[in-house]
């Protein structure tokens, strides 16, 4: 099997130059350039991290540190749909692990794995900042699926298999009565 040649097109390099112009240093653009690379390759494996480091003329160690700190950067090839299931304390208490295990059972894989057909990857992740809508998951660094039940998860999987991404769902935080009264006065 031939080794993949990782490089940016001239159009991508032009985009990277526009991104770099928004920051005081090239190093400060690391997050954004990693996104450009991940959008192109679907991951930021070490060879892709090296490309980012060379493009920004910064240390590969810095790029690796950034890429490995954030779960949103995929350090290996992933499925078409990456299901990041929140398993922080709030989601745990609301059934996050039950949702994770249900997904594992339905897809026949464990967290950290990808289905044989390359359609789905499951990850257990820490807080996604939607504690009020737990349990929840994020689909491929995009839309959140909130207030999950096994039935909602089954429908989500069916829709994704049919090529239908979930719609953005606007959520309203509940307020207690004292807070509502204070705000309205």
């Amino acid at each position: 099997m031939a080794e993949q040649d990782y490089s940016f097109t001239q159009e991508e390099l032009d985009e990277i130059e526009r991104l770099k112009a928004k920051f005081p240093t090239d190093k400060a653009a690391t997050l954004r350039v990693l996104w450009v690379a991940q959008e192109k390759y679907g991951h930021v494996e070490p060879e892709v991290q090296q490309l980012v480091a060379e493009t920004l003329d910064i240390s590969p160690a810095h790029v690796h540190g950034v890429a490995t700190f954030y779960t949103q950067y995929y350090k290996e090839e992933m499925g078409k749909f990456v299901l990041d299931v929140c398993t922080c304390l709030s989601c745990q208490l609301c059934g996050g692990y039950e949702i994770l295990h249900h997904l594992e059972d339905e897809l026949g894989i464990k967290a950290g794995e990808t289905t044989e057909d390359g359609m789905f990857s499951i990850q257990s992740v820490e807080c996604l900042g939607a504690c009020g809508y737990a349990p929840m998951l994020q689909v491929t660094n995009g839309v959140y699926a909130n207030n999950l039940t096994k039935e909602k998860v089954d429908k989500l999987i069916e829709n994704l298999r049919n090529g239908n991404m979930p719609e953005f769902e606007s959520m309203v935080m509940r307020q207690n009565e004292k807070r509502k009264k204070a705000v309205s006065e």
Side-chain angles (χ1 to χ4, degrees), residues 100-118:
L100 175 64
H101 298 313
H102 180 71
L103 269 170
E104 291 174 332
D105 292 343
E106 290 301 308
L107 297 174
I109 59 173
K110 296 288 182 196
E113 297 178 347
T114 300
T115 56
E116 285 186 23
D117 63 2

Side-chain angles (χ1 to χ4, degrees), residues 11-74:
E11 183 179 318
E12 292 160 341
L13 289 170
D14 292 344
E15 178 185 354
I16 290 168
E17 286 303 314
R18 285 189 295 277
L19 291 171
K20 287 170 34 178
K22 296 179 180 184
F23 295 94
T25 65
D26 290 354
K27 187 176 186 179
T30 304
L31 288 167
R32 298 293 301 272
V33 177
L34 278 167
W35 276 118
V36 171
Q38 182 162 287
E39 286 176 5
K40 177 173 186 163
Y41 295 109
H43 60 82
V44 291
E45 289 181 345
E47 297 83 4
V48 177
Q49 295 173 32
Q50 181 65 36
L51 170 65
V52 170
E54 290 170 4
T55 302
L56 292 174
D57 194 25
I58 60 175
S59 160
H62 171 74
V63 175
H64 180 73
V66 172
T68 56
F69 181 80
Y70 294 99
T71 60
Q72 293 85 353
Y73 295 113
Y74 306 139

